[in-house]
Amino acid sequence: MWVACLADRFADLERELNELDQPVGDGDHGSALKRGFRAAAEKLTDFKTDELPQAILMMAGSEFVKGAGGASGLLFSVLFNELGRACGESVRLEAPAFANGLATCVERITKIGKAKLGDKTMLDALQPASLAAAEKTSDGLVQSISGAAAAAEIAAQTTIDMVAKRGRGQYVAEGGKGHVDPGARSVAYIFQSLKTQVVSST
Ligand code: ADP
Ligand code: MG
């Protein structure tokens, strides 16, 4: 199940993401995401195996925010809530719901966090991922998630040259220029993990 896989993956990534958060923040990003995904994975054990994706995704969103806390707890939970909402009553996540959910998620995170593209935040990876997913919708879910993962990977790397305008990075020297944004890197890791799982289940 994808929630458990993300919990395992982000437990492994805790140290790396905390280290990325040191020069541009307070060094807790990896621990926050690890706690968030672990909380979601623990709650999942109460769920029936035939639960609809919407219920699982919305549960993951609400448990994630409680477990992770901080700025990223709320912002990353939007990803799961919006993907869940986009699924409606569908019995599986399909490419159009994935792309639509991501597009709404970009809108909502922009509204909540007030960051613009180029402000060196998770949005700088999420927005290109959303566009790539939409472009591949007619090719199916594997292609759509693969496109999102590839786009997020490239985009996360581009945050190195950016000067932070939102989040803690705006208060460090040169807005953290020269360092990758940890939230953008996490977005890339999330899509990478989802891609691996979708590919291996087909
Ligand atoms: P905190 O800043 O509360 O310690 P984390 O370290 O877990 O939270 O997460 C930091 C990440 O959150 C940043 O790298 C950035 O990607 C993202 N972030 C912070 N503020 C915003 C914002 N206003 N809009 C979008 N993303 C943000
Ligand atoms: Mg932090």
Side-chain angles (χ1 to χ4, degrees), residues 21 24-30 32 72 168 182:
D21 194 30
V24 292
D26 55 356
D28 68 347
H29 183 64
S72 61
R168 295 178 196 273

Side-chain angles (χ1 to χ4, degrees), residues 3 11-12 21 25 29 36 38 46-47 49 57-58 66 71 77 84 87-88 98-99 107 117 123 140 149 154 160 195:
V3 185
D12 291 343
D21 194 30
H29 183 64
R38 191 175 53 204
D46 300 343
F47 271 57
T49 47
L57 283 155
M58 304 284 272
K66 286 188 259 172
S77 73
C87 283
F98 179 66
E107 271 174 36
L117 276 186
L123 261 188
I154 293 166
I160 291 178
K195 174 191 156 181

Side-chain angles (χ1 to χ4, degrees), residues 135-202:
E135 262 174 36
K136 302 270 182 189
T137 301
S138 53
D139 299 330
L141 186 64
V142 171
Q143 291 303 321
S144 194
I145 292 189
S146 298
E153 181 62 40
I154 293 166
Q157 213 52 26
T158 67
T159 62
I160 291 178
D161 297 324
M162 294 176 186
V163 174
K165 302 276 177 13
R166 290 283 164 192
R168 295 178 196 273
Q170 66 189 303
Y171 306 113
V172 309
E174 288 185 88
K177 199 167 180 201
H179 300 281
V180 75
D181 176 66
R185 177 114 300 286
S186 289
V187 168
Y189 280 138
I190 289 171
F191 288 125
Q192 198 181 73
S193 176
L194 292 178
K195 174 191 156 181
T196 309
Q197 293 173 56
V198 172
V199 168
S200 67
S201 70
T202 51

Side-chain angles (χ1 to χ4, degrees), residues 16-99:
E16 177 187 326
L17 293 171
N18 280 347
E19 282 173 5
L20 289 182
D21 194 30
Q22 269 155 20
V24 292
D26 55 356
D28 68 347
H29 183 64
S31 300
L33 264 63
K34 175 186 164 181
R35 285 195 308 271
F37 284 122
R38 191 175 53 204
E42 279 168 6
K43 185 75 175 184
L44 186 72
T45 55
D46 300 343
F47 271 57
K48 298 193 298 283
T49 47
D50 61 350
E51 204 73 65
L52 290 178
Q54 179 177 53
I56 294 172
L57 283 155
M58 304 284 272
M59 172 283 290
S62 57
E63 292 306 309
F64 186 93
V65 70
K66 286 188 259 172
S72 61
L74 179 61
L75 296 168
F76 278 80
S77 73
V78 173
L79 175 59
F80 303 105
N81 288 331
E82 292 308 328
L83 286 177
R85 227 185 296 280
C87 283
E89 297 302 306
S90 175
V91 293
R92 70 174 67 88
L93 175 66
E94 307 273 12
F98 179 66

